Amino acid sequence: MKRRSVSVTLTVLFSTIFLVGNAQPYRVLTVNDFRGIPRRTGATIAETSCFVDLKYDVHQEGNNCQLTFHVALTMDNERSWIDRSRITSAAMLADILKHEQGHYNISYFEGQELLYTLNRMHFSTNYKAEVEGEFDRIHAKYKQLNADYDDDTLNSKNSVQQTSWDKYFQRKLAYQQSANHTALLQR
């Protein structure tokens, strides 16, 4: 019987989006999270940049592979920025922060779905391709959600759509926190 343990790391840099994992709590962004130099081209007033880190440990016995996953989101403060020279009021800054929080929220949801999905899969000895395929599928889904979010809200300028997304985020966060609490009680 063949036994093998392996630890694999998959790190991806994304701009304007991304993830969180099992032990990492949800957090609210502040203006201090945005320390990068603004790009003063185009209509964009702010950008959120995060690193998604997916790690997993592999325990293999014969053709059976058991994987343990760890997903984390690290906001890159030096690549995340707000062009403060274009902020005209405290209310505008609050709106920009709320919009950028939405991108962080989407990233958080992506990480939670990644963990949920991968932890319920069964893997063969081709686990690397299987994990990468699922990661790519889930990432593409949330990349599109981020694009839809910006399009719908006109990068926070459409207050009606922004309010609608904010309510969506509140409901999804409440559900996620409830699901996480239930999962902890079942352990």
Side-chain angles (χ1 to χ4, degrees), residues 40-41 54 56 68 77 93 101 118 127 138 148 160 170 172:
R40 292 194 163 90
T41 58
L54 169 63
Y56 55 95
T68 304
N77 302 94
L93 178 59
Q101 183 70 46
L118 291 174
Y127 60 85
I138 290 171
D148 293 345
V160 172
Q170 289 170 353
K172 190 145 170 100

PDB file of all heavy atoms in Angstrom, residues 40-41 54 56 68 77 93 101 118 127 138 148 160 170 172:
ATOM      1  N   ARG A  40      -4.790  57.758 -12.233  1.00  0.00           N
ATOM      2  CA  ARG A  40      -5.674  58.890 -12.516  1.00  0.00           C
ATOM      3  C   ARG A  40      -6.161  58.899 -13.960  1.00  0.00           C
ATOM      4  O   ARG A  40      -6.404  59.955 -14.521  1.00  0.00           O
ATOM      5  CB  ARG A  40      -4.961  60.186 -12.149  1.00  0.00           C
ATOM      6  CG  ARG A  40      -4.755  60.298 -10.649  1.00  0.00           C
ATOM      7  CD  ARG A  40      -4.374  61.676 -10.205  1.00  0.00           C
ATOM      8  NE  ARG A  40      -4.581  61.835  -8.783  1.00  0.00           N
ATOM      9  CZ  ARG A  40      -3.663  61.582  -7.855  1.00  0.00           C
ATOM     10  NH1 ARG A  40      -2.485  61.155  -8.203  1.00  0.00           N
ATOM     11  NH2 ARG A  40      -3.948  61.765  -6.578  1.00  0.00           N
ATOM     12  N   THR A  41      -6.302  57.738 -14.547  1.00  0.00           N
ATOM     13  CA  THR A  41      -6.850  57.646 -15.890  1.00  0.00           C
ATOM     14  C   THR A  41      -8.219  56.992 -15.803  1.00  0.00           C
ATOM     15  O   THR A  41      -8.453  56.111 -14.989  1.00  0.00           O
ATOM     16  CB  THR A  41      -5.932  56.803 -16.802  1.00  0.00           C
ATOM     17  OG1 THR A  41      -5.774  55.514 -16.224  1.00  0.00           O
ATOM     18  CG2 THR A  41      -4.573  57.466 -16.968  1.00  0.00           C
ATOM     19  N   LEU A  54      -4.846  29.478  -2.173  1.00  0.00           N
ATOM     20  CA  LEU A  54      -5.450  28.165  -1.944  1.00  0.00           C
ATOM     21  C   LEU A  54      -4.319  27.188  -1.676  1.00  0.00           C
ATOM     22  O   LEU A  54      -3.426  27.038  -2.500  1.00  0.00           O
ATOM     23  CB  LEU A  54      -6.255  27.704  -3.162  1.00  0.00           C
ATOM     24  CG  LEU A  54      -6.725  26.246  -3.159  1.00  0.00           C
ATOM     25  CD1 LEU A  54      -7.689  25.986  -2.015  1.00  0.00           C
ATOM     26  CD2 LEU A  54      -7.353  25.883  -4.492  1.00  0.00           C
ATOM     27  N   TYR A  56      -3.488  23.198  -0.085  1.00  0.00           N
ATOM     28  CA  TYR A  56      -4.090  21.951   0.347  1.00  0.00           C
ATOM     29  C   TYR A  56      -3.013  20.926   0.642  1.00  0.00           C
ATOM     30  O   TYR A  56      -1.934  20.937   0.072  1.00  0.00           O
ATOM     31  CB  TYR A  56      -5.109  21.415  -0.655  1.00  0.00           C
ATOM     32  CG  TYR A  56      -4.628  21.223  -2.073  1.00  0.00           C
ATOM     33  CD1 TYR A  56      -4.165  19.991  -2.514  1.00  0.00           C
ATOM     34  CD2 TYR A  56      -4.683  22.269  -2.987  1.00  0.00           C
ATOM     35  CE1 TYR A  56      -3.757  19.807  -3.820  1.00  0.00           C
ATOM     36  CE2 TYR A  56      -4.281  22.097  -4.288  1.00  0.00           C
ATOM     37  CZ  TYR A  56      -3.811  20.862  -4.711  1.00  0.00           C
ATOM     38  OH  TYR A  56      -3.405  20.686  -6.013  1.00  0.00           O
ATOM     39  N   THR A  68      -7.018  18.277   2.319  1.00  0.00           N
ATOM     40  CA  THR A  68      -7.444  19.246   3.322  1.00  0.00           C
ATOM     41  C   THR A  68      -7.140  20.627   2.765  1.00  0.00           C
ATOM     42  O   THR A  68      -5.987  20.908   2.405  1.00  0.00           O
ATOM     43  CB  THR A  68      -6.688  19.034   4.650  1.00  0.00           C
ATOM     44  OG1 THR A  68      -6.882  17.687   5.070  1.00  0.00           O
ATOM     45  CG2 THR A  68      -7.187  20.003   5.716  1.00  0.00           C
ATOM     46  N   ASN A  77      -2.748  46.078   0.265  1.00  0.00           N
ATOM     47  CA  ASN A  77      -2.942  47.498   0.574  1.00  0.00           C
ATOM     48  C   ASN A  77      -2.159  48.413  -0.356  1.00  0.00           C
ATOM     49  O   ASN A  77      -2.578  49.548  -0.596  1.00  0.00           O
ATOM     50  CB  ASN A  77      -2.522  47.789   2.025  1.00  0.00           C
ATOM     51  CG  ASN A  77      -3.289  46.952   3.000  1.00  0.00           C
ATOM     52  OD1 ASN A  77      -2.825  45.891   3.399  1.00  0.00           O
ATOM     53  ND2 ASN A  77      -4.470  47.388   3.369  1.00  0.00           N
ATOM     54  N   LEU A  93     -16.979  59.689   0.059  1.00  0.00           N
ATOM     55  CA  LEU A  93     -16.001  58.713   0.520  1.00  0.00           C
ATOM     56  C   LEU A  93     -16.707  57.483   1.099  1.00  0.00           C
ATOM     57  O   LEU A  93     -16.320  56.346   0.825  1.00  0.00           O
ATOM     58  CB  LEU A  93     -15.062  59.327   1.562  1.00  0.00           C
ATOM     59  CG  LEU A  93     -14.015  58.381   2.145  1.00  0.00           C
ATOM     60  CD1 LEU A  93     -13.115  57.802   1.058  1.00  0.00           C
ATOM     61  CD2 LEU A  93     -13.198  59.103   3.208  1.00  0.00           C
ATOM     62  N   GLN A 101     -16.303  47.734  -0.535  1.00  0.00           N
ATOM     63  CA  GLN A 101     -16.661  46.649   0.376  1.00  0.00           C
ATOM     64  C   GLN A 101     -17.421  45.574  -0.378  1.00  0.00           C
ATOM     65  O   GLN A 101     -17.263  44.378  -0.115  1.00  0.00           O
ATOM     66  CB  GLN A 101     -17.496  47.178   1.544  1.00  0.00           C
ATOM     67  CG  GLN A 101     -17.842  46.126   2.578  1.00  0.00           C
ATOM     68  CD  GLN A 101     -16.622  45.694   3.379  1.00  0.00           C
ATOM     69  OE1 GLN A 101     -15.852  46.523   3.838  1.00  0.00           O
ATOM     70  NE2 GLN A 101     -16.458  44.390   3.555  1.00  0.00           N
ATOM     71  N   LEU A 118     -14.953  22.315  -2.640  1.00  0.00           N
ATOM     72  CA  LEU A 118     -13.799  21.414  -2.621  1.00  0.00           C
ATOM     73  C   LEU A 118     -13.875  20.412  -1.478  1.00  0.00           C
ATOM     74  O   LEU A 118     -13.474  19.254  -1.635  1.00  0.00           O
ATOM     75  CB  LEU A 118     -12.502  22.221  -2.547  1.00  0.00           C
ATOM     76  CG  LEU A 118     -12.154  23.027  -3.789  1.00  0.00           C
ATOM     77  CD1 LEU A 118     -10.927  23.897  -3.535  1.00  0.00           C
ATOM     78  CD2 LEU A 118     -11.944  22.137  -5.012  1.00  0.00           C
ATOM     79  N   TYR A 127      -5.789  14.687  -8.740  1.00  0.00           N
ATOM     80  CA  TYR A 127      -6.374  15.732  -7.897  1.00  0.00           C
ATOM     81  C   TYR A 127      -5.924  17.132  -8.282  1.00  0.00           C
ATOM     82  O   TYR A 127      -6.699  18.078  -8.176  1.00  0.00           O
ATOM     83  CB  TYR A 127      -6.091  15.466  -6.417  1.00  0.00           C
ATOM     84  CG  TYR A 127      -4.632  15.420  -6.057  1.00  0.00           C
ATOM     85  CD1 TYR A 127      -3.931  16.588  -5.773  1.00  0.00           C
ATOM     86  CD2 TYR A 127      -3.962  14.209  -5.994  1.00  0.00           C
ATOM     87  CE1 TYR A 127      -2.588  16.548  -5.446  1.00  0.00           C
ATOM     88  CE2 TYR A 127      -2.626  14.158  -5.658  1.00  0.00           C
ATOM     89  CZ  TYR A 127      -1.943  15.333  -5.404  1.00  0.00           C
ATOM     90  OH  TYR A 127      -0.612  15.293  -5.078  1.00  0.00           O
ATOM     91  N   ILE A 138     -15.082  28.279 -10.376  1.00  0.00           N
ATOM     92  CA  ILE A 138     -15.645  29.157  -9.350  1.00  0.00           C
ATOM     93  C   ILE A 138     -15.118  30.574  -9.517  1.00  0.00           C
ATOM     94  O   ILE A 138     -15.870  31.552  -9.414  1.00  0.00           O
ATOM     95  CB  ILE A 138     -15.361  28.591  -7.940  1.00  0.00           C
ATOM     96  CG1 ILE A 138     -16.202  27.314  -7.729  1.00  0.00           C
ATOM     97  CG2 ILE A 138     -15.657  29.626  -6.852  1.00  0.00           C
ATOM     98  CD1 ILE A 138     -15.865  26.541  -6.479  1.00  0.00           C
ATOM     99  N   ASP A 148     -20.462  42.363 -13.269  1.00  0.00           N
ATOM    100  CA  ASP A 148     -21.884  42.724 -13.231  1.00  0.00           C
ATOM    101  C   ASP A 148     -22.145  43.779 -12.157  1.00  0.00           C
ATOM    102  O   ASP A 148     -22.921  44.712 -12.368  1.00  0.00           O
ATOM    103  CB  ASP A 148     -22.749  41.492 -12.962  1.00  0.00           C
ATOM    104  CG  ASP A 148     -22.732  40.491 -14.106  1.00  0.00           C
ATOM    105  OD1 ASP A 148     -22.294  40.834 -15.223  1.00  0.00           O
ATOM    106  OD2 ASP A 148     -23.143  39.334 -13.865  1.00  0.00           O
ATOM    107  N   VAL A 160     -29.537  53.577  -6.711  1.00  0.00           N
ATOM    108  CA  VAL A 160     -30.623  52.600  -6.600  1.00  0.00           C
ATOM    109  C   VAL A 160     -30.059  51.184  -6.732  1.00  0.00           C
ATOM    110  O   VAL A 160     -30.364  50.304  -5.919  1.00  0.00           O
ATOM    111  CB  VAL A 160     -31.715  52.869  -7.669  1.00  0.00           C
ATOM    112  CG1 VAL A 160     -32.741  51.746  -7.704  1.00  0.00           C
ATOM    113  CG2 VAL A 160     -32.388  54.206  -7.415  1.00  0.00           C
ATOM    114  N   GLN A 170     -26.008  41.980   2.391  1.00  0.00           N
ATOM    115  CA  GLN A 170     -26.442  41.798   3.784  1.00  0.00           C
ATOM    116  C   GLN A 170     -27.113  40.444   3.973  1.00  0.00           C
ATOM    117  O   GLN A 170     -26.837  39.735   4.947  1.00  0.00           O
ATOM    118  CB  GLN A 170     -27.387  42.926   4.198  1.00  0.00           C
ATOM    119  CG  GLN A 170     -26.699  44.255   4.368  1.00  0.00           C
ATOM    120  CD  GLN A 170     -27.685  45.411   4.550  1.00  0.00           C
ATOM    121  OE1 GLN A 170     -28.896  45.249   4.426  1.00  0.00           O
ATOM    122  NE2 GLN A 170     -27.147  46.592   4.837  1.00  0.00           N
ATOM    123  N   LYS A 172     -26.813  37.726   2.066  1.00  0.00           N
ATOM    124  CA  LYS A 172     -25.848  36.646   1.834  1.00  0.00           C
ATOM    125  C   LYS A 172     -24.866  36.524   3.002  1.00  0.00           C
ATOM    126  O   LYS A 172     -24.519  35.415   3.400  1.00  0.00           O
ATOM    127  CB  LYS A 172     -25.112  36.873   0.517  1.00  0.00           C
ATOM    128  CG  LYS A 172     -24.289  35.702   0.076  1.00  0.00           C
ATOM    129  CD  LYS A 172     -24.303  35.558  -1.418  1.00  0.00           C
ATOM    130  CE  LYS A 172     -23.296  34.539  -1.867  1.00  0.00           C
ATOM    131  NZ  LYS A 172     -23.865  33.249  -2.170  1.00  0.00           N
TER     132      LYS A 172
END
